[in-house]
Amino acid sequence: MAESDNIVVETAEKIFADLADPQTINNDKKNSWQAPLWQALSDAGLPLAWVPDDLGGSGASLADGFALLNAAGRFAVAVPLAETMLAGWLLAQAKIASPEGEMTVLPASPKDRITIDADGSLSGRARGVPFAKAAKHFAVLAHGKDGVSIALVDAGKARIESGLNLGYDHSDAVTLDKVQPVTIKVAPDGVDQTNLMLMGGVARSLQIAGALESMLDISVRYSNERVAFEKKISKFQAVQHNLARLAGESAAALAAATSAADAIANATSFNDEVYLEAASAKIRCAEAAEKGGGIAHQVHGAIGFTIEHILHRYSLRALAWRDDFGSESHWAVELGKLVASRGADELWPLVASR
C-alpha cells in the first residue's frame, strides 16, 4: 500500500475509532453520534475523496477511496460515506462540482431507470436507494433520446418513501416527477448504468470484506473469553473448525474485493477485465457475507443475536449490502451471458493475467 493510501486510511480509522465505536453507537438510542461523525469526515475531506480539487473535492485516487471503503466496512459505519463518494465520482465524470453535505446515487439497481423528458426534466422511480432520506442531493444517471446524461438534483424536489434494509439503515424508494435538475451534462463515453452498478458493487464488496474481518476478530476474541465445561470454547475442535471456515470466507472476500478495486484503479476504461473482476467480486463477497455471518453467529450462540451485542451491526449490514447495485444472482446471470457471448477461451487470458 502506498504512503498516500496509508494517510487516507489512518485518518479515517482514527475518526472511526474516536466517533464510531460500535459498542458506543449500539448503546446510543438517539443517534447523537451521527452528526459529529459526519462533521469529522467532512472536515477531513473524505466524503468527496474521489472529487478533483477544482470541483470541490479532495482529489484522492481511486485506490485511496477503495481503501477507505474497506476501513469503513471494518467499523460497519452507518452514514452515507460510500454513497456520497460514489455520487461525487459520478458527478466528476461530467465535470459537475459536488455540493457540500450527504449525497447518494440514482438509480441504485440495474433494473431501475431515470429518463430525461422533452423539457429537460427528470422522471422515474428508483428503489432501494441507500440513505436517500438523509441525502441533500442526488447524483443521477439519466437516459434521454441523445444518450446518457449525469445530473445533480436537489433531494427536496423528489418524493421519498422511507424504507429500511436488514441493517436498519435507510434504503428508500425515490420518485422523480418532472424534476428540473440543478445541473445536467452529457455523460462521457464509457460512463453508463452498468458501469455505475459495477463501481457501486465493488464499493459494497470492499465494505462486506471489511465487515467480515471484524466479525472474525470479534468471534476469535469471544471464543478465547467464553468458558464452557471448564475450558475456553476456542479449545473445542468444532469451534476451531468454524473459525477456520470464517477466516477462509473473510480472506476470499478480501482477495476478490481488492483485486476488483485494483483492476478499476489501474484500468483506463470499464473493459472486460474490469467487468469480470467487479462482477465476480460482488458474487463472491455476497456469498461470503451469508456464510461468514452465519458462522460468526454460531460461534457466539444466543448472545450474538441480542440487540446489546455488536455482532449484528456487522452481520446484518453485510447481508444488506449484498443487494445494493445488483444482487449476486443478477451479476451471476450477467457474467454467464458475457462468458457465453465471448467464450471462455477469449476471457481466460484476462483472468490468468491477474
Side-chain angles (χ1 to χ4, degrees), residues 62-122:
L62 284 172
D64 290 341
F66 284 135
L68 167 59
L69 290 172
N70 183 241
R74 291 198 296 272
F75 284 83
V77 174
V79 293
L81 175 61
E83 293 73 18
T84 302
M85 289 175 61
L86 285 169
W89 171 83
L90 181 61
L91 293 172
Q93 304 310 300
K95 308 298 183 184
I96 299 174
S98 290
E100 295 183 356
E102 298 91 331
M103 293 191 289
T104 192
V105 293
L106 301 182
S109 168
K111 297 181 179 180
D112 293 335
R113 177 165 292 204
I114 306 299
T115 59
I116 305 172
D117 300 321
D119 61 355
S121 62
L122 303 179

Coordinates of all heavy atoms in Angstrom, one line a residue, residues 62-122:
L62 N -8.5 6.7 -6.9 CA -9.4 5.6 -6.8 C -8.9 4.6 -5.7 O -9.7 4.1 -4.9 CB -9.7 4.9 -8.1 CG -10.6 5.7 -9.1 CD1 -10.6 4.9 -10.5 CD2 -12.0 5.8 -8.6
A63 N -7.7 4.3 -5.8 CA -7.1 3.3 -4.8 C -7.3 3.8 -3.4 O -7.6 3.1 -2.5 CB -5.6 3.1 -5.1
D64 N -7.0 5.1 -3.2 CA -7.2 5.7 -1.8 C -8.7 5.5 -1.4 O -8.9 5.1 -0.2 CB -6.9 7.2 -1.8 CG -5.4 7.5 -2.0 OD1 -4.6 6.6 -1.8 OD2 -5.1 8.6 -2.4
G65 N -9.6 5.9 -2.3 CA -11.0 5.8 -1.9 C -11.4 4.3 -1.6 O -12.2 4.1 -0.7
F66 N -11.0 3.4 -2.4 CA -11.3 2.0 -2.2 C -10.8 1.5 -0.8 O -11.5 0.8 -0.1 CB -10.8 1.1 -3.3 CG -11.6 1.2 -4.6 CD1 -10.9 1.3 -5.8 CD2 -13.0 1.2 -4.5 CE1 -11.7 1.4 -7.0 CE2 -13.7 1.3 -5.7 CZ -13.0 1.4 -6.9
A67 N -9.6 1.9 -0.5 CA -9.0 1.5 0.8 C -9.8 2.1 2.0 O -10.0 1.5 3.0 CB -7.6 2.0 0.9
L68 N -10.3 3.3 1.8 CA -11.2 4.0 2.7 C -12.5 3.2 3.0 O -12.9 3.0 4.1 CB -11.5 5.4 2.3 CG -12.6 6.2 3.0 CD1 -12.3 6.3 4.5 CD2 -12.7 7.6 2.4
L69 N -13.1 2.7 1.9 CA -14.3 2.0 2.0 C -14.1 0.7 2.7 O -15.0 0.3 3.5 CB -14.9 1.7 0.6 CG -15.4 3.0 -0.2 CD1 -15.8 2.6 -1.6 CD2 -16.6 3.6 0.6
N70 N -13.0 0.0 2.5 CA -12.7 -1.2 3.3 C -12.6 -0.9 4.8 O -13.1 -1.7 5.6 CB -11.4 -1.8 2.7 CG -11.1 -3.1 3.4 OD1 -10.1 -3.3 4.0 ND2 -12.0 -4.1 3.3
A71 N -12.0 0.2 5.1 CA -11.9 0.6 6.5 C -13.3 0.9 7.1 O -13.6 0.6 8.2 CB -11.0 1.8 6.6
A72 N -14.1 1.6 6.3 CA -15.5 1.9 6.8 C -16.2 0.6 7.0 O -17.0 0.5 8.0 CB -16.2 2.7 5.7
G73 N -16.0 -0.4 6.2 CA -16.7 -1.7 6.4 C -16.2 -2.3 7.7 O -17.0 -3.0 8.4
R74 N -15.0 -2.2 8.1 CA -14.5 -2.8 9.3 C -15.1 -2.2 10.6 O -15.1 -2.8 11.7 CB -12.9 -2.6 9.4 CG -12.2 -3.5 8.4 CD -10.7 -3.6 8.8 NE -10.0 -2.4 8.8 CZ -9.4 -1.9 7.7 NH1 -9.5 -2.5 6.5 NH2 -8.7 -0.8 7.8
F75 N -15.7 -1.0 10.4 CA -16.4 -0.3 11.5 C -17.9 -0.3 11.3 O -18.6 0.2 12.2 CB -15.9 1.1 11.7 CG -14.5 1.3 12.3 CD1 -13.4 1.1 11.6 CD2 -14.4 1.5 13.7 CE1 -12.1 1.2 12.2 CE2 -13.2 1.6 14.3 CZ -12.0 1.5 13.5
A76 N -18.4 -1.0 10.3 CA -19.8 -1.0 10.0 C -20.4 0.4 10.0 O -21.5 0.6 10.6 CB -20.5 -2.0 10.9
V77 N -19.7 1.3 9.4 CA -20.2 2.7 9.5 C -21.5 2.9 8.9 O -21.7 2.6 7.7 CB -19.1 3.7 8.8 CG1 -19.6 5.1 8.8 CG2 -17.8 3.6 9.6
A78 N -22.5 3.5 9.6 CA -23.8 3.7 9.2 C -24.2 5.1 8.9 O -25.1 5.7 9.4 CB -24.8 3.1 10.2
V79 N -23.3 5.7 8.0 CA -23.5 7.0 7.5 C -23.3 6.9 6.0 O -22.6 6.0 5.5 CB -22.7 8.1 8.1 CG1 -23.0 8.3 9.6 CG2 -21.2 7.8 8.0
P80 N -23.8 7.9 5.2 CA -23.7 7.8 3.7 C -22.3 8.1 3.2 O -22.2 8.9 2.2 CB -24.8 8.7 3.2 CG -25.0 9.7 4.3 CD -24.7 8.9 5.5
L81 N -21.3 7.6 3.7 CA -19.9 7.8 3.2 C -19.7 7.2 1.8 O -19.3 7.9 0.9 CB -18.9 7.3 4.2 CG -17.4 7.4 3.8 CD1 -17.0 8.9 3.6 CD2 -16.5 6.7 4.8
A82 N -20.0 5.9 1.7 CA -19.8 5.3 0.4 C -20.7 5.9 -0.7 O -20.3 6.1 -1.8 CB -20.1 3.8 0.5
E83 N -21.9 6.2 -0.3 CA -22.9 6.8 -1.2 C -22.4 8.2 -1.7 O -22.6 8.5 -2.9 CB -24.3 6.9 -0.6 CG -24.9 5.5 -0.3 CD -24.2 4.8 0.9 OE1 -23.5 5.4 1.7 OE2 -24.4 3.5 1.0
T84 N -22.0 9.0 -0.8 CA -21.5 10.3 -1.2 C -20.2 10.3 -2.0 O -20.1 11.0 -3.0 CB -21.2 11.2 0.1 OG1 -22.4 11.3 0.9 CG2 -20.8 12.6 -0.3
M85 N -19.4 9.3 -1.7 CA -18.2 9.1 -2.5 C -18.6 8.7 -4.0 O -18.0 9.2 -4.9 CB -17.3 8.1 -1.9 CG -16.6 8.5 -0.7 SD -15.6 7.2 0.1 CE -14.4 6.8 -1.1
L86 N -19.5 7.8 -4.1 CA -20.0 7.4 -5.4 C -20.6 8.5 -6.2 O -20.4 8.7 -7.4 CB -20.9 6.2 -5.3 CG -20.3 4.8 -4.9 CD1 -21.4 3.8 -4.6 CD2 -19.5 4.3 -6.1
A87 N -21.5 9.3 -5.5 CA -22.1 10.4 -6.1 C -21.1 11.4 -6.6 O -21.2 12.0 -7.7 CB -23.1 11.0 -5.1
G88 N -20.1 11.7 -5.8 CA -19.1 12.7 -6.2 C -18.3 12.2 -7.4 O -18.0 12.9 -8.3
W89 N -18.0 10.9 -7.4 CA -17.3 10.3 -8.5 C -18.1 10.4 -9.8 O -17.6 10.8 -10.8 CB -17.0 8.8 -8.2 CG -16.5 8.0 -9.4 CD1 -15.2 8.0 -9.8 CD2 -17.3 7.3 -10.3 NE1 -15.1 7.2 -11.0 CE2 -16.4 6.8 -11.3 CE3 -18.6 6.9 -10.4 CZ2 -16.8 5.9 -12.3 CZ3 -19.0 6.1 -11.5 CH2 -18.1 5.6 -12.4
L90 N -19.4 10.1 -9.7 CA -20.3 10.2 -10.9 C -20.4 11.6 -11.4 O -20.3 11.8 -12.6 CB -21.7 9.6 -10.5 CG -22.7 9.6 -11.7 CD1 -22.2 8.7 -12.8 CD2 -24.1 9.2 -11.2
L91 N -20.6 12.6 -10.5 CA -20.7 14.0 -10.9 C -19.4 14.4 -11.6 O -19.4 15.2 -12.6 CB -21.0 14.9 -9.7 CG -22.4 14.7 -9.1 CD1 -22.5 15.5 -7.8 CD2 -23.5 15.1 -10.1
A92 N -18.3 14.0 -11.0 CA -17.0 14.4 -11.5 C -16.7 13.9 -13.0 O -16.0 14.5 -13.7 CB -15.8 13.9 -10.6
Q93 N -17.4 12.8 -13.3 CA -17.2 12.3 -14.7 C -17.7 13.3 -15.7 O -17.3 13.3 -16.9 CB -17.9 10.9 -14.9 CG -17.5 9.8 -13.9 CD -16.0 9.6 -13.8 OE1 -15.4 9.3 -14.8 NE2 -15.4 9.8 -12.6
A94 N -18.7 14.1 -15.3 CA -19.3 15.1 -16.2 C -18.8 16.5 -15.9 O -19.4 17.5 -16.4 CB -20.8 15.0 -16.2
K95 N -17.8 16.6 -15.0 CA -17.2 17.9 -14.6 C -18.2 18.7 -13.9 O -18.3 19.9 -14.1 CB -16.6 18.6 -15.8 CG -15.7 17.8 -16.7 CD -14.5 17.4 -15.9 CE -13.5 16.7 -16.8 NZ -12.3 16.1 -16.1
I96 N -19.1 18.1 -13.1 CA -20.1 18.8 -12.3 C -19.5 18.9 -10.9 O -19.1 17.9 -10.3 CB -21.4 18.1 -12.3 CG1 -22.0 18.0 -13.7 CG2 -22.4 18.8 -11.3 CD1 -23.3 17.2 -13.8
A97 N -19.5 20.1 -10.3 CA -18.9 20.3 -9.0 C -19.9 19.7 -7.9 O -21.1 19.7 -8.1 CB -18.8 21.8 -8.7
S98 N -19.3 19.1 -6.9 CA -20.1 18.5 -5.9 C -20.4 19.5 -4.8 O -19.6 20.2 -4.3 CB -19.3 17.3 -5.2 OG -19.2 16.2 -6.1
P99 N -21.7 19.5 -4.3 CA -22.1 20.4 -3.2 C -21.7 19.8 -1.9 O -21.3 18.6 -1.8 CB -23.6 20.4 -3.4 CG -24.0 19.1 -3.9 CD -22.8 18.7 -4.9
E100 N -21.8 20.5 -0.9 CA -21.5 20.0 0.5 C -22.7 19.2 1.0 O -23.8 19.3 0.5 CB -21.3 21.2 1.5 CG -20.0 22.0 1.2 CD -19.8 23.1 2.2 OE1 -20.7 23.2 3.1 OE2 -18.8 23.8 2.1
G101 N -22.4 18.3 1.9 CA -23.5 17.5 2.5 C -23.6 16.1 1.9 O -22.9 15.8 1.0
E102 N -24.5 15.4 2.5 CA -24.7 14.0 2.2 C -25.3 13.9 0.8 O -26.2 14.7 0.4 CB -25.6 13.3 3.2 CG -25.1 13.2 4.6 CD -25.5 14.4 5.4 OE1 -25.7 15.5 4.9 OE2 -25.6 14.2 6.7
M103 N -24.9 12.9 0.0 CA -25.4 12.6 -1.3 C -25.6 11.1 -1.5 O -25.1 10.3 -0.7 CB -24.5 13.1 -2.4 CG -24.4 14.6 -2.5 SD -23.5 15.1 -4.0 CE -21.8 14.6 -3.7
T104 N -26.4 10.7 -2.5 CA -26.4 9.3 -2.9 C -26.7 9.3 -4.4 O -26.9 10.3 -5.0 CB -27.5 8.5 -2.1 OG1 -27.4 7.1 -2.3 CG2 -28.9 9.0 -2.5
V105 N -26.7 8.1 -5.0 CA -26.8 8.0 -6.4 C -28.1 7.3 -6.8 O -28.7 6.5 -6.1 CB -25.6 7.1 -7.0 CG1 -24.3 7.9 -6.9 CG2 -25.5 5.8 -6.4
L106 N -28.6 7.8 -8.0 CA -29.8 7.2 -8.6 C -29.5 6.8 -10.0 O -28.8 7.6 -10.7 CB -31.0 8.2 -8.6 CG -31.5 8.9 -7.4 CD1 -32.7 9.8 -7.7 CD2 -31.9 7.8 -6.4
P107 N -29.9 5.6 -10.4 CA -30.5 4.6 -9.6 C -29.5 3.8 -8.9 O -28.3 3.9 -9.2 CB -31.2 3.8 -10.7 CG -30.4 3.9 -11.9 CD -29.8 5.3 -11.9
A108 N -29.9 2.9 -8.0 CA -29.1 2.0 -7.2 C -29.3 0.6 -7.6 O -28.8 -0.3 -6.9 CB -29.2 2.3 -5.7
S109 N -30.1 0.3 -8.6 CA -30.4 -1.0 -9.0 C -30.3 -1.1 -10.5 O -30.7 -0.1 -11.2 CB -31.9 -1.4 -8.6 OG -32.3 -2.6 -9.3
P110 N -29.8 -2.2 -11.1 CA -29.7 -2.3 -12.6 C -31.0 -2.2 -13.3 O -31.0 -1.8 -14.5 CB -29.0 -3.6 -12.7 CG -28.4 -4.0 -11.4 CD -29.3 -3.4 -10.4
K111 N -32.1 -2.5 -12.7 CA -33.4 -2.6 -13.4 C -34.2 -1.3 -13.3 O -35.2 -1.2 -14.1 CB -34.2 -3.7 -12.7 CG -33.6 -5.1 -12.9 CD -34.5 -6.2 -12.3 CE -33.9 -7.6 -12.5 NZ -34.7 -8.7 -11.9
D112 N -33.8 -0.4 -12.5 CA -34.5 0.9 -12.5 C -33.8 1.9 -13.5 O -32.6 1.8 -13.8 CB -34.4 1.5 -11.1 CG -35.2 0.7 -10.1 OD1 -36.1 0.0 -10.5 OD2 -34.9 0.7 -8.9
R113 N -34.7 2.9 -13.9 CA -34.2 3.8 -14.9 C -34.8 5.2 -14.7 O -36.0 5.3 -14.5 CB -34.5 3.3 -16.3 CG -34.0 4.2 -17.4 CD -34.0 3.6 -18.8 NE -32.9 2.6 -18.9 CZ -32.3 2.2 -20.0 NH1 -32.7 2.7 -21.1 NH2 -31.4 1.3 -20.0
I114 N -34.0 6.2 -14.8 CA -34.4 7.6 -14.8 C -34.3 8.1 -16.2 O -33.3 7.9 -16.9 CB -33.6 8.4 -13.8 CG1 -33.5 7.8 -12.4 CG2 -34.1 9.8 -13.7 CD1 -34.8 7.6 -11.7
T115 N -35.4 8.8 -16.7 CA -35.4 9.3 -18.0 C -35.4 10.8 -18.1 O -35.9 11.5 -17.1 CB -36.6 8.7 -18.8 OG1 -37.8 9.1 -18.1 CG2 -36.6 7.2 -18.9
I116 N -35.0 11.3 -19.2 CA -35.0 12.8 -19.4 C -36.2 13.1 -20.3 O -36.3 12.6 -21.4 CB -33.7 13.2 -20.1 CG1 -32.5 12.8 -19.3 CG2 -33.7 14.8 -20.3 CD1 -31.1 13.0 -20.0
D117 N -37.0 14.0 -19.8 CA -38.2 14.4 -20.5 C -37.9 15.4 -21.6 O -36.7 16.0 -21.6 CB -39.3 15.0 -19.6 CG -39.7 14.0 -18.5 OD1 -39.9 12.8 -18.9 OD2 -39.9 14.4 -17.4
A118 N -38.8 15.7 -22.5 CA -38.6 16.6 -23.6 C -38.2 18.0 -23.1 O -37.4 18.7 -23.8 CB -39.8 16.7 -24.5
D119 N -38.6 18.4 -21.9 CA -38.3 19.8 -21.4 C -37.0 19.8 -20.6 O -36.7 20.8 -19.9 CB -39.5 20.3 -20.6 CG -39.8 19.5 -19.4 OD1 -39.2 18.4 -19.2 OD2 -40.7 19.9 -18.6
G120 N -36.3 18.6 -20.5 CA -35.1 18.6 -19.8 C -35.3 18.1 -18.3 O -34.3 18.0 -17.6
S121 N -36.5 17.9 -17.9 CA -36.7 17.5 -16.5 C -36.5 16.0 -16.4 O -36.4 15.3 -17.4 CB -38.2 17.8 -16.1 OG -39.1 17.2 -16.9
L122 N -36.5 15.5 -15.2 CA -36.2 14.1 -15.0 C -37.4 13.4 -14.4 O -38.1 13.9 -13.5 CB -35.0 13.9 -14.0 CG -33.7 14.6 -14.4 CD1 -32.6 14.4 -13.4 CD2 -33.2 14.1 -15.8

